[in-house]
Amino acid sequence: MTDYTTRITTVINGQEETFFCEPRESLLEILRDRLQLTGTKEGCNDGNCGACTVILDGVSVNSCCVLGVEAENASIETIEGLADGDSLHPLQQAFIRETALQCGYCTPGLIMAAKDLLAHEPLPSNERIRLWLANNLCRCTGYTRIIKAVAQAAKELHQKP
Amino acid sequence: MHNFDFKKPSSVTELTAMMTSYGRDARLLAGGTDLIVGMRSGNLRPAVVIDAKKIPTMVEIQLEKDGLTLGAATSCRRIWENRQVADIYPALIDSASLIGGTSIQGRASIGGNLCNASPSADSVPTLIVMRAVATIVSSRGTRTLPVQDFCLGPRKNVLADDELLLQLHFPPPPKHSGGAFNRFIPRNEMDIAVVNAAAEVELDSSHTRFVDVRIAIGAIAPTPLFVSEAGNAIKNKPVNRKTIDHAGDVAMACAKPISDLRGTADQRRDLTRIMTIRALEMAVRRAGGTVTDD
Amino acid sequence: MKHAEGQVDFKVIGTTPERPDGIEKVTGRARFADDIHLPRMLFGKILRSPHAHAIIKDIDTSKARALPGVHGVLTGGDFPQLESTVIPHGGASTIDIRDLAENCIARDKTLYDGHAVAAAVADNYHIAEQALELIEVDYEILEPVLEIEDALKDDAPVLHETFSPGRFILQTEKSHSNAGSFKLKLGDADRAFQNADHVLEENFQTRCLHQGYIEPHSVTVEWSHNDIMSVWTSTQGHFAIREQLAFILGHPLNKVKVTPMEIGGGFGGKDQVYIEPIAAMFAKKTGRPVKIAMSRADMLRGTGPSPGANIRVKLAAKKDGTLLGADLTLAYEAGAYPGGPVTSAALQATARYNIPDQQILGHDVLLNKPKMKQYRAPGGLPVNFAMESMLDILARKLELDPLELRLTNAMVTGDRMITGIPCQKIGGKELLKAVQTHPHFTSPLTGRNPGRGLAYAMWFGAGMTSSAVLTANPDGSVKLSVGTPDLSGTRMTLAMQAAETLGIPVSSISVSIPDTDSIAFSFMAVGSRTTHSTGLAVYDAAQQLLRQMTERAALYWDVDETDVTFSDGVFNHQKDSTLTLTFTEMAHLLEKLGGPITVQSSVTPKSNGAQLTAHLVDIDVDTETGKIEIQRYTAFQDVGKAIHPDYVSGQMQGGVAQGVGWALSEAYQYDEAGHLLNTTLLDYRMPTSLDLPDIETVILETPNPNHPFGVRGVGESSIMPPAGALANALYDAVGIRMTALPMTPGAVLEKLKKKQRGS
């Protein structure tokens, strides 16, 4: 029987990680099952819900549409890497403060997508936030508070020195 | 998913050698948003998957005097983030920023969208009206082809088993010209187009007369359709409502839509007219003109 | 120690503390069902029938078993054969456990595209999937029946020769080979129609759709060596899962332990077993933990969507708009097994309006689609769409303002509902007046083809049994355990009710939802009941705790117990004002006085107070494409008392978004053979952030006299009005009356063209 096992080295949340996988495993499967980073979620496994959003080489992507083997030498950010120790990222704080989550399942993907937005556009309009986050489905909140939380976090990040 | 070998060639020569040796046992991986989903559903079962993204030519954006050259595996995101490309080829940005959503665009490529050859592909009408030329390579050599000849049918393109799409080249837009792409979807994002349409217009120096018009429509035929009749019908005509509506009517008459999960044939016919008109209106504005009422 | 009605000087209630699980959720640390990893875990996948109606003649699993990495393959025959057994399922509802078991895995017949027929467990999901491809099923395809009208015909294909007619709140009786029916009657509807100035009649159709929770079903089961089945699952009701597993597998209840994980959305769709029995059987056979998760396609095909419906409404009215009578026929899809929510739809259909003579005929219709279930306000949106459209039609016919027409007919406290029961205290007219005086109501419309629409709804939630355990610890901290899973923040609203009662900061209270071994029986988190009904258990437990602490205070002060009182967080001696102790000080003394105190309460209230809601929406219509753009949306709701106003507002906004999807873009699409065509979220279209405007919420409070803080259920009623409101706005904008959902651009365009052609 053919052995498809491949050895992959990548950087996840600033740490070098090495794992073994078959090419057919998605980056989402690697994160959740091989590396036990279960913060990133599966919702549809075909790019239509954004629950699996991570930042790959500075760009938000659906990790279900990336193969684990494509992560070789890439730099990946997941929700687990966002807080600085006990200190939450302004997006995380804003989500809690604004009640921008209910069940919390879509939250990691949304926060990572929003982080990418704010890294590239410091003070996006509400309409721009809505467009950017349209790849991330939420079924609980109706989005109003999510948009507000992102806008608030944007202001806070913009003011930081 | 079935198991497969994963290859990462770092040069075009290496890649074409692989394509020759594996033929139809291999699929090329660009963004993966179609291929990986297709493999997961069991529809696609290549024995070998070849990652194209390590090859510089396939992911480069080169803007020069002779136009824009886009590596086939360049992601939509990198395209719409490029301000210079956005300034000169706004229609391309229309397409690149409408395929899927933000995270899809982080990976999905225009080249992949073209090779996928879906009748409703959001890039192809734009590529057609922009006169894009496909550069196709294999170990047998290189050939070029206007994009309007690239798609043969739903999910079928001209590539032989050992060939791959290397680059797309866009000539510099003529003076007094403008292009636009739009599509109709039931929601405001994420959907496959029920109908989409691209238009490129070249106006005279007074911006009141059409010199050349190219219109292409998607999701109303087995392939995205270059509707030369519609463009030709308004060449040399004044830039006004009546002319634009006429182009819409001609386009609608050329449409051969079917009814499916996403829309009925009747609805698609109506949308052909509307999306053509709106694409033309936007293109005229970008060319510096105004659509007058008479 | 009852709080006075309308008391407004609460210390904790009405404030907006941050939820304790918030940090876990924004950091990705919260453990949802699929986040469990156990040593030597195996992974299962389920093979689903591709036919809408078929007999299973044979299943050959030999090739699948032989695949390296596969540890087992199951079919329906591997499960205990059950007799038809009707068991209670909350309040007056029952289910036939055999139906439930056969829905989880078919035995002889498959009844819908997606019905589970076999399963494989392997070292990883990929191998399990490959095993499925090697299972050979020999089907004899039968003619399917897919539409309500067809299913009710005498010569329709029959799903079950015999069946237990459903009882979801109300009992149905078998009336057709594919339907159970029931009737509700108040007064004499025929008389009302004879005396009316105006009689209106119209038919409405809606289609089935899914709750669309983002988190897929996932379960892990470990069958230990001493025969204990441990289950970790995504569920709204872990006691229901326990009971159903015990029945289906023939295992004693006291050896099934179910742990509810954090749940990523349920909305009524996660209140029963789907994949748990298969996972449990694999766990038993392999001796290893087994995880099964559903894919999105599995969920759309093989769980419990919300039914489509054919609804006929006939109204009798006086020329001043007073409704004299109503005659409705509700035919709702039941899907493959009986017991769908047509019954609850009928109970809500006219509730909120005072209509003295009414009759409702309801049909629960079997057809070859998944067994239909609840989706927030079970059955509510379709009938609200029909009724609110009719009210609008009537208003326009009589040239009356639509809101005034509703005010004329609004039910008030004491008016009789169709059940004959007088309505408990409600603030319907106040709610409608709040809409009328809101700036949105009179703001100018903008856009090319703008319109404004209104809809009004009422819903009753559930009472059911809730249990709470409360412990005061010697360090002053308080532990609250409840048996009702937390879907969206109720662990905080329950803590707030405890904190208010005990006079302590809410941060002193830690809440958990333990497994079925570790907390007394509790009904599911459904029916908008948690904050209200589980809140009653919490309140009762808090009262018990205070009583016991009062005893201890008396002991400590060496005084008569009757002289010790508790108020505003302080124990006092009635006659000696030097004797006072705060709750926390008292807690610190407990160790000297007998140790920590733990109390338990299980309560079963009858209901949770009516939820009234009204929505106002502004739209702009693109008449060239039929696309509706929502420009402004305001949701009004009377919540009795908003324990945590932000959570209440969030529930309202969530219901609006779901109702909008139901109204405009979501529906199952089947081909003629009964195959579900839109099995991905690409073509099963749920609203994105770009499809909705900011949703404004207005909270009103007519306290519920049956709750110490006045709480009414909140979660469900907000899903009902969007379709009616949007349909009415569409009529206002472009003069077309949509009587079918969803109002997709294609459907709207077709109607617009018909109107232009003058037909």
Side-chain angles (χ1 to χ4, degrees), chain C residues 13-46:
Chain C
I13 288 179
T15 62
T16 55
E18 283 177 7
R19 57 195 284 180
D21 57 320
I23 296 185
E24 298 298 290
K25 293 193 168 156
V26 299
T27 55
R29 290 200 295 254
R31 288 267 180 82
F32 293 83
D34 201 59
D35 300 333
I36 288 263
H37 285 95
L38 292 178
R40 303 189 72 237
M41 199 159 74
L42 295 173
F43 302 84
K45 278 275 171 187
I46 297 174

Side-chain angles (χ1 to χ4, degrees), chain A residues 3-13 15-37 54 56 63 66-76 78, chain B residues 6 8:
Chain A
D3 182 9
Y4 292 89
T5 311
T6 316
R7 184 179 186 277
I8 300 291
T9 301
T10 187
V11 172
I12 300 186
N13 298 326
Q15 303 262 68
E16 194 177 270
E17 296 275 356
T18 299
F19 57 87
F20 292 84
C21 71
E22 293 177 330
R24 63 179 169 180
E25 294 172 48
S26 67
L27 176 59
L28 177 62
E29 289 165 50
I30 303 299
L31 290 171
R32 290 184 55 75
D33 303 330
R34 296 259 180 206
L35 300 175
Q36 321 264 286
L37 291 167
V54 299
L56 175 64
S63 57
V66 177
L67 297 173
V69 292
E70 291 183 89
E72 174 78 16
N73 294 329
S75 174
I76 296 165
T78 72
Chain B
F6 185 75
K8 287 182 307 181

Side-chain angles (χ1 to χ4, degrees), chain B residues 1-2 45 184-188 190-192 261-262 267 270-271 274 278, chain C residues 126 129 133 622 624-625 627 629 669 682-683 685-686 690-691 745-746 753:
Chain B
M1 213 188 281
H2 69 292
R45 292 176 191 251
F184 184 76
I185 52 172
R187 291 182 291 180
N188 284 337
M190 294 307 293
D191 292 335
I192 296 287
L261 181 63
R262 296 176 184 132
Q267 178 191 19
D270 289 326
L271 288 171
I274 299 300
R278 291 182 184 180
Chain C
H126 295 284
E129 253 170 27
E133 287 172 1
D622 182 345
E624 289 176 328
T625 63
K627 185 90 185 282
E629 207 61 53
Q669 289 170 281
L682 178 62
D683 290 309
R685 287 182 274 271
M686 310 201 298
L690 202 54
D691 294 307
K753 282 165 68 180

Side-chain angles (χ1 to χ4, degrees), chain B:
Chain B
M1 213 188 281
H2 69 292
N3 259 322
F4 52 86
D5 279 317
F6 185 75
K7 304 287 178 198
K8 287 182 307 181
S10 46
S11 71
V12 180
T13 320
E14 217 186 320
L15 173 55
T16 52
M18 284 182 189
M19 297 294 288
T20 302
S21 104
Y22 295 122
R24 60 171 49 169
D25 285 338
R27 295 289 295 225
L28 214 52
L29 173 68
T33 54
D34 280 319
L35 180 60
I36 294 174
V37 174
M39 291 196 292
R40 190 170 289 132
S41 69
N43 287 340
L44 300 167
R45 292 176 191 251
V48 182
V49 170
I50 307 172
D51 189 351
K53 300 188 291 296
K54 303 292 176 208
I55 299 166
T57 325
M58 296 210 65
V59 293
E60 272 173 354
I61 302 177
Q62 283 166 7
L63 199 53
E64 254 135 47
K65 279 216 176 69
D66 72 338
L68 167 68
T69 305
L70 208 59
T74 312
S75 73
C76 289
R77 170 96 179 236
R78 282 193 50 231
I79 295 170
W80 58 250
E81 273 184 335
N82 188 311
R83 292 257 162 77
Q84 293 173 295
V85 171
D87 279 338
I88 302 173
Y89 301 97
L92 188 58
I93 275 36
D94 291 339
S95 286
S97 59
L98 285 174
I99 292 175
T102 310
S103 300
I104 301 263
Q105 292 155 21
R107 301 289 283 178
S109 63
I110 295 287
N113 191 251
L114 172 62
C115 290
N116 212 30
S118 163
S120 56
D122 283 325
S123 69
V124 184
T126 304
L127 300 177
I128 291 174
V129 304
M130 289 171 70
R131 299 180 173 84
V133 171
T135 302
I136 297 167
V137 299
S138 71
S139 25
R140 296 178 284 120
T142 304
R143 63 185 179 110
T144 60
L145 190 73
V147 165
Q148 70 209 58
D149 299 328
F150 193 90
C151 301
L152 297 175
R155 306 263 157 177
K156 280 209 303 248
N157 62 40
V158 295
L159 298 176
D161 289 342
D162 63 339
E163 286 182 316
L164 64 114
L165 175 70
L166 183 71
Q167 290 172 320
L168 291 163
H169 181 81
F170 304 78
K175 264 186 105 171
H176 312 299
S177 72
F181 167 85
N182 72 168
R183 66 180 189 169
F184 184 76
I185 52 172
R187 291 182 291 180
N188 284 337
E189 185 76 335
M190 294 307 293
D191 292 335
I192 296 287
V194 183
V195 168
N196 55 25
E200 189 169 275
V201 304
E202 190 190 337
L203 308 179
D204 69 352
S205 53
S206 72
H207 295 163
T208 58
R209 199 156 281 277
F210 288 109
V211 169
D212 194 12
V213 178
R214 290 172 67 85
I215 295 167
I217 320 272
I220 45 89
T223 67
L225 212 59
F226 174 51
V227 191
S228 54
E229 302 92 317
N232 291 340
I234 64 171
K235 246 182 188 178
N236 300 319
K237 295 265 177 4
V239 177
N240 63 27
R241 169 73 26 221
K242 191 160 154 233
T243 310
I244 290 189
D245 283 358
H246 180 57
D249 291 334
V250 176
M252 181 161 86
C254 296
K256 297 184 279 276
I258 58 170
S259 293
D260 69 4
L261 181 63
R262 296 176 184 132
T264 63
D266 270 342
Q267 178 191 19
R268 287 190 160 109
R269 254 185 289 273
D270 289 326
L271 288 171
T272 300
R273 184 175 174 278
I274 299 300
M275 292 295 114
T276 300
I277 289 171
R278 291 182 184 180
L280 280 169
E281 285 170 344
M282 237 197 306
V284 163
R285 265 198 304 277
R286 284 179 175 161
T290 324
V291 179
T292 57
D293 271 330
D294 61 303

